[in-house]
Amino acid sequence: MARVTVEDCIDKIENRFDLVLLAAHRARNISSGQPILVDRDRDKNPVVALREIAEEALAPEDLSEDFIHSLQRHVEVDEPEAETAPALTPAVGVDLEGEGQFDRMTEEDLLRGLEGLVPPAEVEDEAE
């Protein structure tokens, strides 16, 4: 097979900069021992990587994801969320069936309750 050129690969990966990045990443993977997907034909790893891209032996999207993953320092793992914490045990006599229900107080009831209270300044005066 003749040497691969950029024109053979540019229809698979349109951006030449991306093509160089992904081919270099694939060549490094081949150097580190990943299996080759095309015949080597005494070609060096960068040429083999370009031939793999030209022959569509691997998907450019997969190669791009692998490249991004290799550059990440912190990888978030989607783990199932922890179960909700168990509710605290209710105090004796508390009814859980009426969740969110509060005693309602009218304005008149509030005013009647406040009439019997002594302001703090008067309490100090009475203590002297």
Side-chain angles (χ1 to χ4, degrees), residues 60-77:
E61 296 83 19
D62 294 341
L63 189 58
S64 178
E65 285 294 321
D66 185 44
F67 179 60
I68 290 169
H69 182 69
S70 72
L71 295 175
Q72 289 179 335
R73 301 250 186 258
H74 173 71
V75 178
E76 288 187 22
V77 178

Side-chain angles (χ1 to χ4, degrees), residues 4-56:
V4 68
T5 62
V6 173
E7 284 76 24
D8 297 332
C9 301
I10 202 68
D11 58 337
K12 307 326 184 256
I13 301 174
E14 293 179 7
N15 187 328
R16 291 174 189 253
F17 182 73
D18 289 341
L19 175 63
V20 170
L21 283 176
L22 296 179
H25 174 68
R26 179 63 184 147
R28 283 190 294 274
N29 287 346
I30 292 170
S31 295
S32 67
Q34 282 192 357
I36 297 172
L37 305 175
V38 295
D39 293 333
R40 181 175 278 278
D41 290 338
R42 297 178 308 178
D43 290 327
K44 295 183 180 177
N45 293 339
V47 175
V48 172
L50 286 171
R51 286 183 47 217
E52 288 179 346
I53 292 170
E55 294 179 16
E56 295 180 337

Side-chain angles (χ1 to χ4, degrees), residues 73-94:
R73 301 250 186 258
H74 173 71
V75 178
E76 288 187 22
V77 178
D78 290 335
E79 296 179 2
E81 294 195 21
E83 295 180 19
T84 58
L88 298 175
T89 55
V92 177
V94 174

